Amino acid sequence: MQRDAKFYAQLLLTIVLCLFIVVPVVMSALAGVTVNVFKGLSSGLTLRWIFQVWDLYAHSILLSVMIALACLVVTLVAGVPLAYVLVRRPGRLTRIFEELLTLPVAIPGLALALALLITYGGVSGYRSSWLFILTGHVLFTLPFMVRSVAAVMAAMDIKMLEEGAASLGAGFWRRFFTVIIPNAKPGILAGALMVVTLSIGEFNLTWMLHTPLTKTLPVGLADAYASMRLEVGSAYTLIFFVLIMPLLIAMQALAQRGKRPRKRTDTAEDTL
């Protein structure tokens, strides 16, 4: 197929934009393994900064991963049934509830954190726990899980699937877990990818809610750059990519796999 000048212009623009985004990331990663960040690679390579970051911030890095995974579990348990109810029982009340559910996304993270501090800040054990940060992350990411799952459920005929399964003797919970959930898998995987990504990278909300003992990865990264330790901050960024990128790539692969069309159409009888 012959390609015209417009195609090559678009290709060139895409490459330039990709380089504009990727080059700073690569330069930051290289700065984390150079002896002198101002001299660049000519000063030599070292793992000193990476070991220093791990010694100082290992707890923050592991805490961020733990909070992200816990947030994923909570949003799955709460978000998938909520999406089902919103799709299965449309009406004025569900629309009002859906709008209220998206409020944490519409308001600034600092405002949401301030509301949590005013409401629950007096509970000392809860305030100083990582569960306090988890609460804020769940409020912020839950709408993304619900919207992703609800979009997929709305595209399929839930009523027909449930009626077919019920005619074969399946109860509600069996219909939900063996018919609805498998068909909503693409939305669940896409929502899970967004939840993990947003939870790990959330800064504004976490900065207000954290304590010295519950400092997460983005807060520690901001502290490193604020202290003008560019090599430490760059090493922090490199560790972040090494730990997080494999997880995100794996989840993205699962999401893409779930979107592939099946060779044969599953029916309620096949599922049961």
Side-chain angles (χ1 to χ4, degrees), residues 60-78:
S60 299
I61 296 171
L62 297 177
L63 179 63
S64 290
V65 176
M66 182 180 68
I67 291 176
L69 295 178
C71 184
L72 174 60
V73 172
V74 175
T75 53
L76 283 174
V77 174

PDB file of all heavy atoms in Angstrom, residues 60-78:
ATOM      1  N   SER A  60       9.012   3.320  52.501  1.00  0.00           N
ATOM      2  CA  SER A  60       8.052   4.129  51.741  1.00  0.00           C
ATOM      3  C   SER A  60       7.669   3.455  50.428  1.00  0.00           C
ATOM      4  O   SER A  60       6.499   3.470  50.026  1.00  0.00           O
ATOM      5  CB  SER A  60       8.646   5.513  51.451  1.00  0.00           C
ATOM      6  OG  SER A  60       8.927   6.197  52.647  1.00  0.00           O
ATOM      7  N   ILE A  61       8.646   2.851  49.768  1.00  0.00           N
ATOM      8  CA  ILE A  61       8.381   2.189  48.486  1.00  0.00           C
ATOM      9  C   ILE A  61       7.463   0.994  48.681  1.00  0.00           C
ATOM     10  O   ILE A  61       6.456   0.830  47.972  1.00  0.00           O
ATOM     11  CB  ILE A  61       9.705   1.765  47.831  1.00  0.00           C
ATOM     12  CG1 ILE A  61      10.539   2.994  47.479  1.00  0.00           C
ATOM     13  CG2 ILE A  61       9.450   0.928  46.582  1.00  0.00           C
ATOM     14  CD1 ILE A  61      11.946   2.683  47.026  1.00  0.00           C
ATOM     15  N   LEU A  62       7.783   0.150  49.658  1.00  0.00           N
ATOM     16  CA  LEU A  62       6.956  -1.033  49.914  1.00  0.00           C
ATOM     17  C   LEU A  62       5.584  -0.639  50.430  1.00  0.00           C
ATOM     18  O   LEU A  62       4.583  -1.301  50.107  1.00  0.00           O
ATOM     19  CB  LEU A  62       7.664  -1.949  50.914  1.00  0.00           C
ATOM     20  CG  LEU A  62       9.001  -2.536  50.442  1.00  0.00           C
ATOM     21  CD1 LEU A  62       9.640  -3.376  51.545  1.00  0.00           C
ATOM     22  CD2 LEU A  62       8.810  -3.371  49.185  1.00  0.00           C
ATOM     23  N   LEU A  63       5.503   0.443  51.207  1.00  0.00           N
ATOM     24  CA  LEU A  63       4.205   0.910  51.702  1.00  0.00           C
ATOM     25  C   LEU A  63       3.316   1.358  50.553  1.00  0.00           C
ATOM     26  O   LEU A  63       2.111   1.089  50.548  1.00  0.00           O
ATOM     27  CB  LEU A  63       4.404   2.059  52.692  1.00  0.00           C
ATOM     28  CG  LEU A  63       3.126   2.666  53.284  1.00  0.00           C
ATOM     29  CD1 LEU A  63       2.363   1.623  54.096  1.00  0.00           C
ATOM     30  CD2 LEU A  63       3.456   3.885  54.146  1.00  0.00           C
ATOM     31  N   SER A  64       3.890   2.038  49.561  1.00  0.00           N
ATOM     32  CA  SER A  64       3.103   2.481  48.408  1.00  0.00           C
ATOM     33  C   SER A  64       2.530   1.297  47.642  1.00  0.00           C
ATOM     34  O   SER A  64       1.359   1.307  47.236  1.00  0.00           O
ATOM     35  CB  SER A  64       3.965   3.329  47.477  1.00  0.00           C
ATOM     36  OG  SER A  64       4.274   4.564  48.056  1.00  0.00           O
ATOM     37  N   VAL A  65       3.351   0.275  47.438  1.00  0.00           N
ATOM     38  CA  VAL A  65       2.876  -0.918  46.736  1.00  0.00           C
ATOM     39  C   VAL A  65       1.774  -1.611  47.534  1.00  0.00           C
ATOM     40  O   VAL A  65       0.749  -2.039  46.979  1.00  0.00           O
ATOM     41  CB  VAL A  65       4.048  -1.877  46.466  1.00  0.00           C
ATOM     42  CG1 VAL A  65       3.550  -3.166  45.830  1.00  0.00           C
ATOM     43  CG2 VAL A  65       5.088  -1.215  45.570  1.00  0.00           C
ATOM     44  N   MET A  66       1.944  -1.707  48.856  1.00  0.00           N
ATOM     45  CA  MET A  66       0.948  -2.345  49.700  1.00  0.00           C
ATOM     46  C   MET A  66      -0.377  -1.590  49.681  1.00  0.00           C
ATOM     47  O   MET A  66      -1.456  -2.182  49.571  1.00  0.00           O
ATOM     48  CB  MET A  66       1.457  -2.453  51.133  1.00  0.00           C
ATOM     49  CG  MET A  66       0.500  -3.166  52.083  1.00  0.00           C
ATOM     50  SD  MET A  66       1.132  -3.276  53.770  1.00  0.00           S
ATOM     51  CE  MET A  66       1.081  -1.541  54.254  1.00  0.00           C
ATOM     52  N   ILE A  67      -0.304  -0.259  49.763  1.00  0.00           N
ATOM     53  CA  ILE A  67      -1.526   0.544  49.734  1.00  0.00           C
ATOM     54  C   ILE A  67      -2.227   0.411  48.391  1.00  0.00           C
ATOM     55  O   ILE A  67      -3.461   0.309  48.318  1.00  0.00           O
ATOM     56  CB  ILE A  67      -1.201   2.019  50.040  1.00  0.00           C
ATOM     57  CG1 ILE A  67      -0.783   2.175  51.507  1.00  0.00           C
ATOM     58  CG2 ILE A  67      -2.394   2.913  49.742  1.00  0.00           C
ATOM     59  CD1 ILE A  67      -0.357   3.578  51.880  1.00  0.00           C
ATOM     60  N   ALA A  68      -1.450   0.396  47.294  1.00  0.00           N
ATOM     61  CA  ALA A  68      -2.046   0.268  45.960  1.00  0.00           C
ATOM     62  C   ALA A  68      -2.765  -1.071  45.811  1.00  0.00           C
ATOM     63  O   ALA A  68      -3.880  -1.135  45.268  1.00  0.00           O
ATOM     64  CB  ALA A  68      -0.977   0.420  44.892  1.00  0.00           C
ATOM     65  N   LEU A  69      -2.157  -2.158  46.278  1.00  0.00           N
ATOM     66  CA  LEU A  69      -2.782  -3.474  46.178  1.00  0.00           C
ATOM     67  C   LEU A  69      -4.004  -3.568  47.084  1.00  0.00           C
ATOM     68  O   LEU A  69      -5.032  -4.149  46.695  1.00  0.00           O
ATOM     69  CB  LEU A  69      -1.773  -4.567  46.528  1.00  0.00           C
ATOM     70  CG  LEU A  69      -0.588  -4.701  45.568  1.00  0.00           C
ATOM     71  CD1 LEU A  69       0.368  -5.788  46.042  1.00  0.00           C
ATOM     72  CD2 LEU A  69      -1.065  -5.002  44.146  1.00  0.00           C
ATOM     73  N   ALA A  70      -3.918  -3.003  48.295  1.00  0.00           N
ATOM     74  CA  ALA A  70      -5.075  -2.992  49.194  1.00  0.00           C
ATOM     75  C   ALA A  70      -6.207  -2.162  48.603  1.00  0.00           C
ATOM     76  O   ALA A  70      -7.390  -2.523  48.695  1.00  0.00           O
ATOM     77  CB  ALA A  70      -4.672  -2.448  50.557  1.00  0.00           C
ATOM     78  N   CYS A  71      -5.849  -1.036  47.974  1.00  0.00           N
ATOM     79  CA  CYS A  71      -6.855  -0.200  47.317  1.00  0.00           C
ATOM     80  C   CYS A  71      -7.532  -0.952  46.181  1.00  0.00           C
ATOM     81  O   CYS A  71      -8.746  -0.842  45.982  1.00  0.00           O
ATOM     82  CB  CYS A  71      -6.188   1.075  46.807  1.00  0.00           C
ATOM     83  SG  CYS A  71      -7.310   2.272  46.072  1.00  0.00           S
ATOM     84  N   LEU A  72      -6.747  -1.732  45.447  1.00  0.00           N
ATOM     85  CA  LEU A  72      -7.308  -2.534  44.363  1.00  0.00           C
ATOM     86  C   LEU A  72      -8.316  -3.544  44.894  1.00  0.00           C
ATOM     87  O   LEU A  72      -9.404  -3.713  44.330  1.00  0.00           O
ATOM     88  CB  LEU A  72      -6.188  -3.245  43.614  1.00  0.00           C
ATOM     89  CG  LEU A  72      -6.606  -4.234  42.525  1.00  0.00           C
ATOM     90  CD1 LEU A  72      -7.416  -3.528  41.447  1.00  0.00           C
ATOM     91  CD2 LEU A  72      -5.384  -4.925  41.925  1.00  0.00           C
ATOM     92  N   VAL A  73      -7.969  -4.222  45.988  1.00  0.00           N
ATOM     93  CA  VAL A  73      -8.876  -5.216  46.570  1.00  0.00           C
ATOM     94  C   VAL A  73     -10.182  -4.567  47.017  1.00  0.00           C
ATOM     95  O   VAL A  73     -11.281  -5.057  46.726  1.00  0.00           O
ATOM     96  CB  VAL A  73      -8.200  -5.938  47.752  1.00  0.00           C
ATOM     97  CG1 VAL A  73      -9.202  -6.836  48.481  1.00  0.00           C
ATOM     98  CG2 VAL A  73      -7.021  -6.764  47.266  1.00  0.00           C
ATOM     99  N   VAL A  74     -10.084  -3.425  47.702  1.00  0.00           N
ATOM    100  CA  VAL A  74     -11.282  -2.752  48.214  1.00  0.00           C
ATOM    101  C   VAL A  74     -12.164  -2.263  47.072  1.00  0.00           C
ATOM    102  O   VAL A  74     -13.391  -2.426  47.091  1.00  0.00           O
ATOM    103  CB  VAL A  74     -10.890  -1.583  49.131  1.00  0.00           C
ATOM    104  CG1 VAL A  74     -12.136  -0.798  49.564  1.00  0.00           C
ATOM    105  CG2 VAL A  74     -10.155  -2.097  50.362  1.00  0.00           C
ATOM    106  N   THR A  75     -11.554  -1.662  46.056  1.00  0.00           N
ATOM    107  CA  THR A  75     -12.356  -1.158  44.937  1.00  0.00           C
ATOM    108  C   THR A  75     -12.974  -2.283  44.115  1.00  0.00           C
ATOM    109  O   THR A  75     -14.062  -2.106  43.545  1.00  0.00           O
ATOM    110  CB  THR A  75     -11.491  -0.272  44.021  1.00  0.00           C
ATOM    111  OG1 THR A  75     -10.311  -0.986  43.629  1.00  0.00           O
ATOM    112  CG2 THR A  75     -11.100   1.009  44.725  1.00  0.00           C
ATOM    113  N   LEU A  76     -12.312  -3.432  44.055  1.00  0.00           N
ATOM    114  CA  LEU A  76     -12.924  -4.577  43.375  1.00  0.00           C
ATOM    115  C   LEU A  76     -14.134  -5.083  44.135  1.00  0.00           C
ATOM    116  O   LEU A  76     -15.203  -5.320  43.553  1.00  0.00           O
ATOM    117  CB  LEU A  76     -11.899  -5.704  43.213  1.00  0.00           C
ATOM    118  CG  LEU A  76     -10.858  -5.560  42.103  1.00  0.00           C
ATOM    119  CD1 LEU A  76      -9.837  -6.678  42.188  1.00  0.00           C
ATOM    120  CD2 LEU A  76     -11.532  -5.556  40.728  1.00  0.00           C
ATOM    121  N   VAL A  77     -13.982  -5.240  45.442  1.00  0.00           N
ATOM    122  CA  VAL A  77     -15.073  -5.767  46.271  1.00  0.00           C
ATOM    123  C   VAL A  77     -16.261  -4.812  46.285  1.00  0.00           C
ATOM    124  O   VAL A  77     -17.425  -5.244  46.244  1.00  0.00           O
ATOM    125  CB  VAL A  77     -14.577  -6.036  47.702  1.00  0.00           C
ATOM    126  CG1 VAL A  77     -15.735  -6.433  48.615  1.00  0.00           C
ATOM    127  CG2 VAL A  77     -13.519  -7.139  47.702  1.00  0.00           C
ATOM    128  N   ALA A  78     -15.985  -3.518  46.334  1.00  0.00           N
ATOM    129  CA  ALA A  78     -17.067  -2.537  46.399  1.00  0.00           C
ATOM    130  C   ALA A  78     -17.516  -2.052  45.027  1.00  0.00           C
ATOM    131  O   ALA A  78     -18.716  -1.823  44.805  1.00  0.00           O
ATOM    132  CB  ALA A  78     -16.631  -1.336  47.247  1.00  0.00           C
TER     133      ALA A  78
END
